[in-house]
Amino acid sequence: MKTIARCLSGGLSFGLLLLAKIAFSQTLTISCGAVGAELSLCKEAVSAWTKKTGHQVEVISTPNSSTERLALYQQIFSAKSSDIDVFQIDIIWPGLLANHLVDLSPYTKGVEKQHFPTLVENNTVSGKLVAMPWFVDTAFLYYRKDLLEKYNQPVPTTWQQLSDIGKTIQNQEHEKGNAQLWGYVWQGRAYEGLTCNALEWLSSYNGGSIVDNNGKITVNSKAAESALSLAGQWVGQISPPGVLNYTEEEARGVFQSGNAVFMRNWPYAWALAQGEESAIKGKVGIVALPKGGPEGKHASTLGGWQLAVSKYSKYPKLAADLTLFLTSYDIQKQRLLKGAFNPTIKSLYEDQEVIAAAPVAKTLVKSLEQSVARPSTATKSKYNQVSNLFFNAVHNVLAGKEAPKQALKKLEKKLKRIKRKKWN
Ligand code: GLC
């Protein structure tokens, strides 16, 4: 009898607890990227938080193109909408979006100190920590080991070499009836991804980064001209004409189905190229992107994503908790192991389990040292305009509408016009 009573009262308090949990359970909404395995990894991590806290989270996916995603976010923010609590934001946006974001420092208990200081600095605007670093991106050259071996070709170290090898292999494969094969796939659509590609070309020729750290417009140079001239020759020759409309996923689609010798992409493509369903599993190598020439350098654009809490969220404290959970050591470790998303927590690169399971982690750290930042800090609120003008000018050259010299001169003029006396 006593046991039954104990069970009943135990059952009752458990039931009450459950009721209380349901009654206090809130539903947050997070916007996650959906490039490659991003969405499924986001959902997986979010479920772990739900399990821990009892709160629900709706995950919504956003456009793959960073440029389109920004336009969508700007609409949501300008309506002061509380529809989305946590936003996945690009490394170049903290300055642009800071006015709509919550200062996370009262919630972090100093945990941001575990992350790379340059990223924390990037996400700190007027003394406020407006986003937590989530993953960092650097681009690589992906190459087909089997094809280079078959034609006895080295891994290219300059862009010219990449062009020559790509052409040789492509031609010989075409002769053998493999008409689908292209030499090089990359991101040529007129969007932020083209800014990343073209910045790498310029920088690899020692042509700077469009606008330098002091705000000086440096884009119109001989080096930039050489870089754009070479890239212009790829379209239709070693790159499909459709490359002018490629984002990351279109390039990966071609490469992963075995139809390209070389590809420029971020680390996420590595995990997928090695996946069970990949046609090129075990046949891929990655190295630093080529140099502009013997005197040039390896350059990779610094990319990556952060999590930020909207100022219009009804549950900022809870949204901050979700943000801190998703950017934590354990979740970043899972994302690295499963999806090759580079952690922003430095000590993860020394984690023995990570080193054993993902030898690629070492290559990632090295590439961080060779990375070049887009001029989002120097050009302040104008970065998006600067990038738009830049990728449109480059796209015109690639599409054969304008010669590099003319396009660069016009671009410089337009940039001067939007800068006026100084960037603000
Ligand atoms: C990647 C980078 C991001 C960049 C984008 C461009 O997602 O992480 O920083 O803006 O590619 O396509």
Side-chain angles (χ1 to χ4, degrees):
M1 197 56 193
K2 256 188 187 166
T3 330
I4 295 174
R6 247 203 326 266
C7 284
L8 273 177
S9 81
L12 205 65
S13 52
F14 176 72
L16 279 175
L17 249 173
L18 201 70
L19 268 178
K21 219 170 176 183
I22 292 168
F24 289 108
S25 156
Q26 310 289 6
T27 302
L28 296 181
T29 304
I30 182 171
S31 79
C32 276
V35 177
E38 258 191 315
L39 196 62
S40 64
L41 286 175
C42 178
K43 285 185 175 160
E44 199 179 305
V46 155
S47 309
W49 185 77
T50 292
K51 212 163 157 197
K52 186 176 157 225
T53 62
H55 298 290
Q56 306 301 311
V57 185
E58 205 183 314
V59 178
I60 56 160
S61 73
T62 46
N64 281 349
S65 149
S66 181
T67 304
E68 284 170 35
R69 207 182 289 181
L70 178 62
L72 174 73
Y73 285 7
Q74 282 176 324
Q75 268 177 26
I76 297 172
F77 284 136
S78 68
K80 299 196 165 69
S81 159
S82 61
D83 287 355
I84 298 178
D85 302 281
V86 180
F87 283 84
Q88 179 177 328
I89 71 164
D90 204 332
I91 194 166
I92 48 188
W93 300 344
L96 225 63
L97 301 179
N99 288 343
H100 306 286
L101 303 173
V102 161
D103 179 9
L104 293 170
S105 36
Y107 305 105
T108 62
K109 301 197 182 101
V111 80
E112 68 273 22
K113 292 198 189 83
Q114 296 175 3
H115 296 251
F116 288 116
T118 44
L119 298 178
V120 175
E121 212 175 283
N122 180 71
N123 297 356
T124 305
V125 182
S126 310
K128 290 183 185 146
L129 180 66
V130 298
M132 281 297 289
W134 201 17
F135 65 94
V136 57
D137 263 339
T138 48
F140 291 100
L141 180 71
Y142 287 71
Y143 62 92
R144 286 279 301 279
K145 289 192 289 194
D146 57 327
L147 287 175
L148 292 186
E149 220 165 87
K150 183 171 168 190
Y151 293 101
N152 205 12
Q153 296 290 333
V155 175
T157 55
T158 64
W159 290 111
Q160 187 59 55
Q161 214 184 356
L162 174 142
S163 306
D164 298 342
I165 298 172
K167 192 148 191 70
T168 306
I169 298 182
Q170 182 183 307
N171 288 348
Q172 298 199 46
E173 282 289 301
H174 283 192
E175 272 168 30
K176 292 192 175 125
N178 181 7
Q180 307 270 0
L181 190 84
W182 287 98
Y184 184 41
V185 289
W186 39 283
Q187 295 76 42
R189 183 185 292 189
Y191 81 122
E192 187 61 32
L194 179 55
T195 291
C196 297
N197 280 249
L199 174 62
E200 283 153 2
W201 307 333
L202 262 60
S203 175
S204 74
Y205 275 85
N206 298 316
S209 55
I210 313 168
V211 173
D212 73 12
N213 287 343
N214 300 319
K216 188 169 170 237
I217 297 163
T218 56
V219 75
N220 188 10
S221 66
K222 276 262 163 271
E225 211 182 305
S226 311
L228 293 189
S229 302
L230 183 63
Q233 290 166 24
W234 294 335
V235 184
Q237 295 293 317
I238 57 162
S239 305
V243 80
L244 292 180
N245 205 22
Y246 279 13
T247 67
E248 286 76 4
E249 283 294 79
E250 286 82 18
R252 182 174 71 84
V254 174
F255 187 73
Q256 204 173 302
S257 42
N259 292 329
V261 186
F262 300 114
M263 169 178 72
R264 181 256 180 221
N265 219 324
W266 308 103
Y268 84 95
W270 171 256
L272 299 164
Q274 300 306 319
E276 281 313 317
E277 277 145 41
S278 166
I280 48 166
K281 185 172 192 275
K283 296 179 178 167
V284 185
I286 58 171
V287 277
L289 288 166
K291 295 181 186 184
E295 307 300 317
K297 61 180 184 202
H298 297 290
S300 160
T301 299
L302 181 66
W305 292 82
Q306 339 295 310
L307 289 181
V309 173
S310 163
K311 211 166 94 177
Y312 315 110
S313 163
K314 292 193 182 118
Y315 315 106
K317 192 167 173 238
L318 210 53
D321 190 69
L322 174 61
T323 298
L324 291 168
F325 179 84
L326 293 177
T327 54
S328 67
Y329 189 100
D330 287 346
I331 300 294
Q332 290 208 7
K333 183 168 171 178
Q334 290 309 315
R335 289 172 58 86
L336 172 63
L337 296 178
K338 292 181 184 163
F341 290 100
N342 300 359
T344 59
I345 297 176
K346 212 170 167 200
S347 57
L348 259 165
Y349 293 89
E350 281 136 35
D351 185 302
Q352 285 312 311
E353 215 182 317
V354 165
I355 292 169
V360 73
K362 269 202 181 141
T363 322
L364 297 178
V365 181
K366 202 155 170 242
S367 73
L368 279 176
E369 288 154 17
Q370 291 163 347
S371 65
V372 39
R374 282 162 278 177
S376 55
T377 307
T379 58
K380 303 197 174 140
S381 67
K382 302 280 169 54
Y383 173 73
N384 198 37
Q385 272 172 279
V386 170
S387 178
N388 271 261
L389 287 171
F390 179 63
F391 66 61
N392 281 319
V394 173
H395 199 267
N396 278 345
V397 171
L398 298 174
K401 290 186 191 153
E402 228 164 10
K405 197 173 178 162
Q406 186 192 1
L408 288 166
K409 206 170 153 201
K410 268 202 207 159
L411 173 64
E412 184 184 39
K413 221 168 149 189
K414 286 185 188 164
L415 290 176
K416 280 188 175 156
R417 212 176 298 144
I418 60 165
K419 177 185 174 185
R420 297 217 186 95
K421 283 208 180 79
K422 64 180 178 70
W423 300 104
N424 54 33

